[in-house]
Amino acid sequence: MSNPQFNQQLFSTPYPKKDAYGALQIPLYHSVAFEFDTAEAMELAFLCKTADHTYSRISNPTVQFFEDRIAAITGAASVTALSSGMAAISNAIMALAYSGSNIVTSRHLFGNTYSLFASTLKDFGVSIRFCDLTDVADVERNIDKNTCAVFLEIITNPQLEVADLQALAALTSRTGVPLIADTTVVPFCAFSAKKLGVNIEIVSSTKYISGGATSLGGLIIDYGNFDWSKSPKINLLREAQPSAFTFKIKREIHRNLGAYMNPQTAYMQTLGLDTLDLRFQKAASACLYLATALSSAKGIETVNYTGLPGNKFYNLSTAQFGKYPGAMFTFDLPSRKACFEFMNRLKFIKRATNLFDNKTLAIHPESTIYGTFSPADKEKMNVSPKTIRLSVGLEEADRLLEDIRQALQ
Ligand SMILES: *Cc1c(COP(=O)(O)O)cnc(C)c1O
């Protein structure tokens, strides 16, 4: 559902301070530290009693403006910008997880998130419970008093599975577990995670927001809509309710882990936000056009895009994300060999990983993103050797179709 207020909110976000020269772009404050007039002012800033910046690992004016804009367009209580999508996921989880806790999620996860959960966190005594997130009863069976979060991706990749966010949010708020959603595949201009009941939204801003794959970045968006007194770890911060999570992130986790967004990236991604809605409309409508055209193409076994009326998740996807559930789709060819031949025949579409560049990108996920996973793991994750993933960019849709058609021959 396209938000008519989106660009209005975006362009009316005020700068943190009026610029001395009246610059229309937020200046790029590439400075590590900030000077104070007095020892007293310095003390207050270090105690977070004033909003002054002290050191750019903790906060920075250019990054803050980027965060403020994200807060304005999402309705968030607080936003923290990190150096990558993975930094956003790991920082959010580090704020919630503890030795002996568990995370309820699905095997249908971005490869590095899966590895973070199944390998890295396991070594710290955090266990992962993989379940079927499209089955609310299964999720409920897996939640217990040590569940620190339910974590999901709104449209999993490359399986393109959609969970019912409102049903899950009803369950997680009843059981006192925060619902964390990685919404990278559908941008803010198309849907509102807050309205669907998500507590913490995670975005890899590397994708749509960076505006042409210029820079890595990640966002932790706290909607301030969770009762943290129910959280086994964060309830220590009862005095900070309902911003206990943000308090923990900003005062402890992100500054200790040191993966805050750098000002240069925030500057580029602020520019990326200016054209986000425009770029998304073009790429996503081309995506729907291509997915529709290829559904009847010779040589393709199946096309998977949740915006296609025949898709298993069509109704739920349309209710949650509107007509355009992202600018990415997958299709299956008869064999792994056919996929490699297809990839090698592409003339115009780039063979590259990444999503939502301005250029159209093709990848064979099974041999690349999931290349180091065991055959058994790939099977459990439903990563098929017959699948090609296409991230649709801003080229003319007919030219893209032509390239795909010739590569299928
Ligand atoms: C790319 C991606 C990430 C990781 O983001 P980086 O910015 O590359 O660290 C996480 N989740 C999803 C769904 C992604 O597509």
Side-chain angles (χ1 to χ4, degrees):
M1 258 129 284
S2 188
N3 170 5
Q5 298 291 314
F6 181 82
N7 285 316
Q8 192 57 39
Q9 283 157 338
L10 189 64
F11 290 106
S12 48
T13 309
Y15 290 134
K17 276 190 182 166
K18 189 166 167 51
D19 180 64
Y21 300 98
L24 277 176
Q25 295 292 1
I26 181 85
L28 172 44
Y29 290 99
H30 235 308
S31 177
V32 169
F34 301 85
E35 185 186 9
F36 289 84
D37 288 340
T38 64
E40 289 77 10
M42 203 167 180
E43 180 185 31
L44 291 174
F46 272 76
L47 295 176
C48 301
K49 293 198 167 138
T50 56
D52 295 331
H53 302 283
T54 59
Y55 191 74
S56 287
R57 172 162 42 72
I58 298 162
S59 71
N60 170 282
T62 311
V63 184
Q64 189 201 328
F65 178 62
F66 177 61
E67 293 169 334
D68 287 352
R69 277 190 131 190
I70 301 287
I73 59 183
T74 58
S78 146
V79 175
T80 307
L82 284 305
S83 59
S84 68
M86 287 314 302
I89 296 171
S90 50
N91 275 257
I93 295 294
M94 288 294 261
L96 296 170
Y98 51 93
S99 172
S101 67
N102 65 75
I103 299 168
V104 172
T105 187
S106 143
R107 280 186 200 277
H108 296 169
L109 287 175
F110 176 69
N112 297 154
T113 307
Y114 183 91
S115 164
L116 169 73
F117 287 180
S119 306
T120 315
L121 289 174
K122 197 166 146 241
D123 293 343
F124 288 85
V126 179
S127 61
I128 306 304
R129 297 183 175 179
F130 293 113
C131 64
D132 178 0
L133 293 171
T134 67
D135 176 355
V136 178
D138 191 33
V139 180
E140 183 157 19
R141 275 192 297 278
N142 278 281
I143 291 176
D144 66 17
K145 64 176 189 355
N146 286 316
T147 301
C148 66
V150 170
F151 183 97
L152 60 82
E153 291 172 17
I154 52 166
I155 302 179
T156 69
N157 156 23
Q159 308 85 3
L160 307 192
E161 177 184 87
V162 179
D164 183 336
L165 291 173
Q166 280 170 307
L168 285 177
L171 169 69
T172 53
S173 83
R174 177 162 57 76
T175 49
V177 177
L179 179 62
I180 307 183
D182 176 339
T183 68
T184 301
V185 294
V186 186
F188 309 123
C189 49
F191 94 111
S192 162
K194 183 185 186 181
K195 282 196 188 129
L196 295 171
V198 168
N199 303 119
I200 307 293
E201 181 175 13
I202 303 278
V203 179
S204 165
S205 56
T206 310
K207 311 295 165 58
Y208 293 112
I209 296 172
S210 73
T214 58
S215 47
L216 290 159
L219 298 164
I220 301 176
I221 301 169
D222 178 3
Y223 286 111
N225 55 359
F226 185 76
D227 178 4
W228 294 104
S229 67
K230 292 180 179 165
S231 163
K233 183 166 169 188
I234 298 212
N235 69 7
L236 298 171
L237 297 168
R238 233 175 233 130
E239 75 279 9
Q241 287 268 12
S243 52
F245 174 81
T246 287
F247 196 87
K248 179 95 179 163
I249 288 280
K250 299 244 185 213
R251 301 281 183 90
E252 178 191 333
I253 304 293
H254 104 252
R255 70 181 189 194
N256 290 354
L257 297 185
Y260 196 52
M261 182 175 274
N262 79 62
Q264 172 80 34
T265 296
Y267 181 81
M268 288 190 283
Q269 300 202 355
T270 295
L271 296 184
L273 278 177
D274 281 1
T275 55
L276 176 65
D277 186 38
L278 199 62
R279 287 182 289 112
F280 180 67
Q281 296 307 328
K282 168 136 193 191
S285 62
C287 179
L288 178 58
Y289 172 80
L290 292 175
T292 308
L294 293 175
S295 294
S296 54
K298 258 212 337 247
I300 293 189
E301 288 193 342
T302 51
V303 173
N304 194 0
Y305 181 59
T306 67
L308 285 177
N311 187 279
K312 178 174 161 194
F313 294 106
Y314 176 76
N315 288 336
L316 182 60
S317 171
T318 308
Q320 294 186 153
F321 314 122
K323 187 176 175 191
Y324 301 124
M328 166 197 57
F329 70 103
T330 69
F331 50 90
D332 280 15
L333 299 181
S335 63
R336 190 179 202 264
K337 185 165 167 278
C339 290
F340 273 61
E341 286 168 0
F342 171 86
M343 291 289 294
N344 289 338
R345 277 195 293 254
L346 288 171
K347 287 186 177 153
F348 172 71
I349 294 172
K350 313 286 181 226
R351 284 172 287 273
T353 188
N354 196 17
L355 291 171
F356 319 127
D357 193 326
N358 292 339
K359 302 171 196 77
T360 297
L361 312 177
I363 193 165
H364 178 252
E366 186 266 337
S367 62
T368 54
I369 301 169
Y370 299 92
T372 58
F373 287 67
S374 71
D377 277 344
K378 287 182 201 174
E379 202 172 313
K380 277 191 252 171
M381 296 172 83
N382 293 100
V383 173
S384 161
K386 290 162 51 169
T387 304
I388 298 280
R389 184 184 85 187
L390 207 70
S391 166
V392 181
L394 301 179
E395 305 94 335
E396 288 317 308
D398 283 320
R399 284 280 285 122
L400 293 169
L401 189 57
E402 225 176 86
D403 196 15
I404 296 167
R405 286 226 160 101
Q406 67 77 26
L408 284 170
Q409 301 309 312

Tab-separated table of all heavy atoms in Angstrom, residues 157-160 300-304 328-340 342-343 362-370 381-390:
chain	number	residue	atom	x	y	z
A	157	ASN	N	13.797	-15.195	1.239
A	157	ASN	CA	14.531	-15.123	-0.008
A	157	ASN	C	15.561	-16.240	0.003
A	157	ASN	O	16.295	-16.346	0.963
A	157	ASN	CB	15.135	-13.703	-0.021
A	157	ASN	CG	16.351	-13.554	-0.875
A	157	ASN	OD1	16.587	-14.310	-1.796
A	157	ASN	ND2	17.147	-12.552	-0.549
A	158	PRO	N	15.589	-17.149	-0.936
A	158	PRO	CA	14.866	-17.118	-2.215
A	158	PRO	C	13.536	-17.898	-2.237
A	158	PRO	O	12.950	-18.039	-3.317
A	158	PRO	CB	15.868	-17.791	-3.164
A	158	PRO	CG	16.540	-18.830	-2.318
A	158	PRO	CD	16.574	-18.252	-0.925
A	159	GLN	N	13.049	-18.360	-1.077
A	159	GLN	CA	11.819	-19.187	-1.111
A	159	GLN	C	10.565	-18.354	-1.380
A	159	GLN	O	9.558	-18.884	-1.849
A	159	GLN	CB	11.636	-19.932	0.229
A	159	GLN	CG	12.841	-20.734	0.697
A	159	GLN	CD	13.829	-19.847	1.465
A	159	GLN	OE1	13.586	-18.667	1.698
A	159	GLN	NE2	14.953	-20.433	1.835
A	160	LEU	N	10.598	-17.072	-1.022
A	160	LEU	CA	9.460	-16.147	-1.157
A	160	LEU	C	8.222	-16.662	-0.405
A	160	LEU	O	7.154	-16.856	-0.969
A	160	LEU	CB	9.143	-15.845	-2.626
A	160	LEU	CG	10.325	-15.351	-3.479
A	160	LEU	CD1	9.837	-14.812	-4.814
A	160	LEU	CD2	11.140	-14.285	-2.782
A	300	ILE	N	10.786	-22.165	-18.870
A	300	ILE	CA	10.727	-21.855	-17.438
A	300	ILE	C	9.715	-22.786	-16.783
A	300	ILE	O	8.590	-22.912	-17.262
A	300	ILE	CB	10.341	-20.371	-17.214
A	300	ILE	CG1	11.478	-19.465	-17.712
A	300	ILE	CG2	10.015	-20.094	-15.756
A	300	ILE	CD1	11.329	-18.007	-17.356
A	301	GLU	N	10.124	-23.449	-15.704
A	301	GLU	CA	9.201	-24.378	-15.036
A	301	GLU	C	8.178	-23.639	-14.189
A	301	GLU	O	6.986	-23.870	-14.296
A	301	GLU	CB	9.981	-25.377	-14.177
A	301	GLU	CG	10.736	-26.397	-15.013
A	301	GLU	CD	11.252	-27.569	-14.197
A	301	GLU	OE1	11.341	-27.456	-12.948
A	301	GLU	OE2	11.567	-28.600	-14.813
A	302	THR	N	8.662	-22.762	-13.310
A	302	THR	CA	7.743	-21.993	-12.473
A	302	THR	C	8.322	-20.610	-12.222
A	302	THR	O	9.548	-20.435	-12.204
A	302	THR	CB	7.545	-22.625	-11.067
A	302	THR	OG1	8.847	-22.865	-10.503
A	302	THR	CG2	6.759	-23.912	-11.113
A	303	VAL	N	7.437	-19.639	-12.023
A	303	VAL	CA	7.853	-18.291	-11.640
A	303	VAL	C	7.302	-18.062	-10.241
A	303	VAL	O	6.151	-18.379	-9.956
A	303	VAL	CB	7.283	-17.239	-12.616
A	303	VAL	CG1	7.578	-15.829	-12.116
A	303	VAL	CG2	7.877	-17.429	-14.006
A	304	ASN	N	8.148	-17.517	-9.365
A	304	ASN	CA	7.713	-17.270	-7.996
A	304	ASN	C	7.797	-15.776	-7.691
A	304	ASN	O	8.881	-15.188	-7.653
A	304	ASN	CB	8.593	-18.085	-7.029
A	304	ASN	CG	7.997	-18.161	-5.640
A	304	ASN	OD1	6.933	-17.607	-5.367
A	304	ASN	ND2	8.690	-18.854	-4.742
A	328	MET	N	11.864	-8.100	-6.712
A	328	MET	CA	12.676	-9.301	-6.870
A	328	MET	C	11.754	-10.485	-7.081
A	328	MET	O	10.704	-10.565	-6.452
A	328	MET	CB	13.497	-9.535	-5.605
A	328	MET	CG	14.094	-10.916	-5.557
A	328	MET	SD	14.656	-11.451	-3.946
A	328	MET	CE	13.287	-11.355	-2.902
A	329	PHE	N	12.113	-11.385	-7.986
A	329	PHE	CA	11.358	-12.636	-8.116
A	329	PHE	C	12.319	-13.747	-8.493
A	329	PHE	O	13.499	-13.497	-8.775
A	329	PHE	CB	10.209	-12.495	-9.126
A	329	PHE	CG	10.637	-12.367	-10.564
A	329	PHE	CD1	10.536	-13.450	-11.431
A	329	PHE	CD2	11.131	-11.172	-11.060
A	329	PHE	CE1	10.918	-13.344	-12.757
A	329	PHE	CE2	11.522	-11.048	-12.387
A	329	PHE	CZ	11.411	-12.134	-13.242
A	330	THR	N	11.834	-14.968	-8.435
A	330	THR	CA	12.681	-16.105	-8.807
A	330	THR	C	11.960	-16.930	-9.862
A	330	THR	O	10.742	-16.828	-10.013
A	330	THR	CB	13.006	-17.018	-7.606
A	330	THR	OG1	11.804	-17.694	-7.218
A	330	THR	CG2	13.571	-16.252	-6.429
A	331	PHE	N	12.719	-17.727	-10.589
A	331	PHE	CA	12.102	-18.707	-11.480
A	331	PHE	C	12.960	-19.955	-11.525
A	331	PHE	O	14.165	-19.915	-11.278
A	331	PHE	CB	11.836	-18.144	-12.883
A	331	PHE	CG	13.001	-17.459	-13.524
A	331	PHE	CD1	13.895	-18.176	-14.301
A	331	PHE	CD2	13.184	-16.095	-13.364
A	331	PHE	CE1	14.976	-17.538	-14.908
A	331	PHE	CE2	14.261	-15.447	-13.970
A	331	PHE	CZ	15.154	-16.168	-14.732
A	332	ASP	N	12.309	-21.059	-11.796
A	332	ASP	CA	13.003	-22.333	-11.844
A	332	ASP	C	13.165	-22.782	-13.288
A	332	ASP	O	12.224	-22.708	-14.082
A	332	ASP	CB	12.210	-23.408	-11.071
A	332	ASP	CG	12.438	-23.299	-9.570
A	332	ASP	OD1	12.955	-22.240	-9.127
A	332	ASP	OD2	12.108	-24.262	-8.851
A	333	LEU	N	14.358	-23.264	-13.587
A	333	LEU	CA	14.650	-23.849	-14.898
A	333	LEU	C	14.744	-25.364	-14.695
A	333	LEU	O	14.780	-25.836	-13.556
A	333	LEU	CB	15.953	-23.256	-15.442
A	333	LEU	CG	15.917	-21.732	-15.662
A	333	LEU	CD1	17.239	-21.225	-16.227
A	333	LEU	CD2	14.772	-21.331	-16.579
A	334	PRO	N	14.795	-26.158	-15.778
A	334	PRO	CA	14.730	-27.615	-15.596
A	334	PRO	C	15.880	-28.222	-14.793
A	334	PRO	O	15.719	-29.275	-14.188
A	334	PRO	CB	14.734	-28.147	-17.038
A	334	PRO	CG	14.208	-27.013	-17.859
A	334	PRO	CD	14.689	-25.767	-17.193
A	335	SER	N	17.060	-27.572	-14.761
A	335	SER	CA	18.186	-28.186	-14.046
A	335	SER	C	19.183	-27.115	-13.603
A	335	SER	O	19.119	-25.970	-14.052
A	335	SER	CB	18.913	-29.168	-14.966
A	335	SER	OG	19.464	-28.444	-16.064
A	336	ARG	N	20.128	-27.532	-12.755
A	336	ARG	CA	21.213	-26.660	-12.318
A	336	ARG	C	22.041	-26.227	-13.531
A	336	ARG	O	22.438	-25.063	-13.648
A	336	ARG	CB	22.071	-27.442	-11.326
A	336	ARG	CG	23.114	-26.635	-10.593
A	336	ARG	CD	23.853	-27.572	-9.637
A	336	ARG	NE	24.497	-26.855	-8.555
A	336	ARG	CZ	25.775	-26.496	-8.561
A	336	ARG	NH1	26.528	-26.772	-9.596
A	336	ARG	NH2	26.302	-25.871	-7.516
A	337	LYS	N	22.260	-27.204	-14.437
A	337	LYS	CA	23.042	-26.930	-15.652
A	337	LYS	C	22.340	-25.854	-16.489
A	337	LYS	O	22.983	-24.919	-16.995
A	337	LYS	CB	23.189	-28.233	-16.442
A	337	LYS	CG	24.058	-28.130	-17.659
A	337	LYS	CD	24.452	-29.533	-18.164
A	337	LYS	CE	25.056	-29.474	-19.568
A	337	LYS	NZ	24.031	-29.418	-20.616
A	338	ALA	N	21.028	-25.972	-16.611
A	338	ALA	CA	20.262	-24.978	-17.391
A	338	ALA	C	20.393	-23.590	-16.759
A	338	ALA	O	20.462	-22.579	-17.459
A	338	ALA	CB	18.802	-25.395	-17.486
A	339	CYS	N	20.461	-23.548	-15.429
A	339	CYS	CA	20.629	-22.257	-14.741
A	339	CYS	C	21.983	-21.634	-15.078
A	339	CYS	O	22.073	-20.435	-15.347
A	339	CYS	CB	20.533	-22.430	-13.226
A	339	CYS	SG	18.880	-22.825	-12.655
A	340	PHE	N	23.033	-22.457	-15.036
A	340	PHE	CA	24.368	-21.936	-15.348
A	340	PHE	C	24.420	-21.445	-16.796
A	340	PHE	O	24.983	-20.393	-17.082
A	340	PHE	CB	25.448	-23.009	-15.094
A	340	PHE	CG	25.937	-23.024	-13.667
A	340	PHE	CD1	25.067	-23.290	-12.617
A	340	PHE	CD2	27.273	-22.757	-13.367
A	340	PHE	CE1	25.514	-23.296	-11.293
A	340	PHE	CE2	27.732	-22.751	-12.056
A	340	PHE	CZ	26.856	-23.023	-11.029
A	342	PHE	N	21.924	-20.381	-18.583
A	342	PHE	CA	21.131	-19.146	-18.636
A	342	PHE	C	21.970	-17.960	-18.151
A	342	PHE	O	22.054	-16.915	-18.806
A	342	PHE	CB	19.866	-19.303	-17.773
A	342	PHE	CG	19.099	-18.024	-17.590
A	342	PHE	CD1	18.159	-17.620	-18.528
A	342	PHE	CD2	19.319	-17.207	-16.484
A	342	PHE	CE1	17.453	-16.419	-18.379
A	342	PHE	CE2	18.622	-16.013	-16.318
A	342	PHE	CZ	17.689	-15.628	-17.264
A	343	MET	N	22.608	-18.150	-17.001
A	343	MET	CA	23.421	-17.072	-16.422
A	343	MET	C	24.510	-16.632	-17.410
A	343	MET	O	24.742	-15.438	-17.596
A	343	MET	CB	24.093	-17.556	-15.126
A	343	MET	CG	23.164	-17.792	-13.959
A	343	MET	SD	22.478	-16.280	-13.249
A	343	MET	CE	23.941	-15.488	-12.588
A	362	ALA	N	21.219	-10.764	-11.709
A	362	ALA	CA	20.799	-12.167	-11.658
A	362	ALA	C	21.811	-12.978	-10.867
A	362	ALA	O	23.018	-12.718	-10.934
A	362	ALA	CB	20.686	-12.728	-13.077
A	363	ILE	N	21.299	-13.950	-10.125
A	363	ILE	CA	22.184	-14.837	-9.365
A	363	ILE	C	21.561	-16.228	-9.272
A	363	ILE	O	20.329	-16.373	-9.351
A	363	ILE	CB	22.482	-14.251	-7.948
A	363	ILE	CG1	23.636	-15.003	-7.278
A	363	ILE	CG2	21.237	-14.264	-7.065
A	363	ILE	CD1	24.230	-14.293	-6.066
A	364	HIS	N	22.428	-17.216	-9.135
A	364	HIS	CA	21.993	-18.596	-8.885
A	364	HIS	C	22.275	-18.844	-7.397
A	364	HIS	O	23.416	-19.151	-7.010
A	364	HIS	CB	22.799	-19.547	-9.787
A	364	HIS	CG	22.470	-20.989	-9.588
A	364	HIS	ND1	23.328	-21.871	-8.973
A	364	HIS	CD2	21.363	-21.696	-9.915
A	364	HIS	CE1	22.755	-23.081	-8.943
A	364	HIS	NE2	21.574	-22.998	-9.499
A	365	PRO	N	21.292	-18.655	-6.523
A	365	PRO	CA	21.567	-18.649	-5.073
A	365	PRO	C	22.221	-19.930	-4.546
A	365	PRO	O	23.131	-19.870	-3.708
A	365	PRO	CB	20.169	-18.450	-4.446
A	365	PRO	CG	19.353	-17.800	-5.509
A	365	PRO	CD	19.874	-18.348	-6.807
A	366	GLU	N	21.803	-21.066	-5.052
A	366	GLU	CA	22.269	-22.339	-4.486
A	366	GLU	C	23.792	-22.479	-4.576
A	366	GLU	O	24.439	-22.988	-3.661
A	366	GLU	CB	21.555	-23.503	-5.200
A	366	GLU	CG	21.825	-24.879	-4.621
A	366	GLU	CD	22.971	-25.618	-5.305
A	366	GLU	OE1	23.288	-25.309	-6.477
A	366	GLU	OE2	23.559	-26.495	-4.667
A	367	SER	N	24.386	-22.006	-5.683
A	367	SER	CA	25.840	-22.189	-5.866
A	367	SER	C	26.648	-21.014	-5.318
A	367	SER	O	27.871	-21.052	-5.325
A	367	SER	CB	26.147	-22.350	-7.357
A	367	SER	OG	25.771	-21.182	-8.070
A	368	THR	N	25.970	-19.966	-4.861
A	368	THR	CA	26.707	-18.763	-4.440
A	368	THR	C	26.421	-18.429	-2.970
A	368	THR	O	27.160	-18.831	-2.089
A	368	THR	CB	26.316	-17.576	-5.342
A	368	THR	OG1	24.888	-17.434	-5.335
A	368	THR	CG2	26.806	-17.777	-6.763
A	369	ILE	N	25.288	-17.767	-2.711
A	369	ILE	CA	24.947	-17.340	-1.352
A	369	ILE	C	24.910	-18.551	-0.409
A	369	ILE	O	25.325	-18.464	0.738
A	369	ILE	CB	23.580	-16.622	-1.353
A	369	ILE	CG1	23.633	-15.402	-2.278
A	369	ILE	CG2	23.175	-16.212	0.063
A	369	ILE	CD1	22.276	-14.775	-2.575
A	370	TYR	N	24.420	-19.674	-0.923
A	370	TYR	CA	24.304	-20.877	-0.088
A	370	TYR	C	25.374	-21.912	-0.455
A	370	TYR	O	25.276	-23.073	-0.060
A	370	TYR	CB	22.883	-21.466	-0.219
A	370	TYR	CG	21.839	-20.473	0.255
A	370	TYR	CD1	21.228	-19.589	-0.623
A	370	TYR	CD2	21.522	-20.361	1.615
A	370	TYR	CE1	20.318	-18.634	-0.185
A	370	TYR	CE2	20.623	-19.409	2.069
A	370	TYR	CZ	20.022	-18.547	1.158
A	370	TYR	OH	19.139	-17.600	1.606
A	381	MET	N	16.476	-25.844	3.956
A	381	MET	CA	16.176	-24.421	3.745
A	381	MET	C	15.390	-24.185	2.453
A	381	MET	O	15.096	-23.043	2.121
A	381	MET	CB	17.478	-23.604	3.705
A	381	MET	CG	18.245	-23.621	5.010
A	381	MET	SD	19.867	-22.838	4.851
A	381	MET	CE	19.430	-21.116	5.039
A	382	ASN	N	15.074	-25.259	1.751
A	382	ASN	CA	14.368	-25.135	0.466
A	382	ASN	C	15.095	-24.237	-0.529
A	382	ASN	O	14.474	-23.422	-1.216
A	382	ASN	CB	12.931	-24.607	0.653
A	382	ASN	CG	12.069	-25.613	1.373
A	382	ASN	OD1	11.854	-25.487	2.572
A	382	ASN	ND2	11.609	-26.617	0.679
A	383	VAL	N	16.411	-24.399	-0.567
A	383	VAL	CA	17.191	-23.673	-1.573
A	383	VAL	C	17.437	-24.653	-2.713
A	383	VAL	O	18.189	-25.608	-2.569
A	383	VAL	CB	18.520	-23.163	-0.967
A	383	VAL	CG1	19.396	-22.556	-2.048
A	383	VAL	CG2	18.241	-22.138	0.127
A	384	SER	N	16.771	-24.415	-3.836
A	384	SER	CA	16.805	-25.374	-4.932
A	384	SER	C	17.914	-25.048	-5.925
A	384	SER	O	18.150	-23.880	-6.243
A	384	SER	CB	15.447	-25.360	-5.647
A	384	SER	OG	15.576	-25.915	-6.932
A	385	PRO	N	18.581	-26.082	-6.447
A	385	PRO	CA	19.612	-25.838	-7.474
A	385	PRO	C	19.023	-25.383	-8.802
A	385	PRO	O	19.750	-24.998	-9.711
A	385	PRO	CB	20.293	-27.206	-7.618
A	385	PRO	CG	19.306	-28.202	-7.127
A	385	PRO	CD	18.466	-27.507	-6.089
A	386	LYS	N	17.707	-25.407	-8.920
A	386	LYS	CA	17.071	-25.043	-10.192
A	386	LYS	C	16.587	-23.591	-10.229
A	386	LYS	O	15.952	-23.154	-11.173
A	386	LYS	CB	15.862	-25.972	-10.435
A	386	LYS	CG	16.309	-27.405	-10.745
A	386	LYS	CD	15.241	-28.469	-10.589
A	386	LYS	CE	13.966	-28.201	-11.298
A	386	LYS	NZ	13.066	-29.382	-11.327
A	387	THR	N	16.875	-22.843	-9.155
A	387	THR	CA	16.314	-21.492	-9.033
A	387	THR	C	17.297	-20.388	-9.433
A	387	THR	O	18.454	-20.389	-8.999
A	387	THR	CB	15.852	-21.244	-7.577
A	387	THR	OG1	14.920	-22.265	-7.223
A	387	THR	CG2	15.209	-19.885	-7.405
A	388	ILE	N	16.774	-19.438	-10.215
A	388	ILE	CA	17.487	-18.190	-10.535
A	388	ILE	C	16.741	-17.065	-9.824
A	388	ILE	O	15.508	-17.041	-9.810
A	388	ILE	CB	17.432	-17.890	-12.058
A	388	ILE	CG1	18.122	-18.967	-12.872
A	388	ILE	CG2	17.980	-16.495	-12.376
A	388	ILE	CD1	19.625	-18.871	-12.933
A	389	ARG	N	17.503	-16.129	-9.236
A	389	ARG	CA	16.864	-14.967	-8.611
A	389	ARG	C	17.192	-13.717	-9.423
A	389	ARG	O	18.345	-13.514	-9.803
A	389	ARG	CB	17.399	-14.801	-7.185
A	389	ARG	CG	16.715	-13.663	-6.431
A	389	ARG	CD	17.339	-13.474	-5.070
A	389	ARG	NE	18.509	-12.612	-5.140
A	389	ARG	CZ	19.333	-12.380	-4.116
A	389	ARG	NH1	19.124	-12.973	-2.957
A	389	ARG	NH2	20.376	-11.587	-4.248
A	390	LEU	N	16.167	-12.936	-9.667
A	390	LEU	CA	16.358	-11.703	-10.423
A	390	LEU	C	15.938	-10.515	-9.567
A	390	LEU	O	14.817	-10.479	-9.052
A	390	LEU	CB	15.495	-11.772	-11.685
A	390	LEU	CG	15.973	-10.956	-12.870
A	390	LEU	CD1	17.245	-11.567	-13.458
A	390	LEU	CD2	14.905	-10.918	-13.954
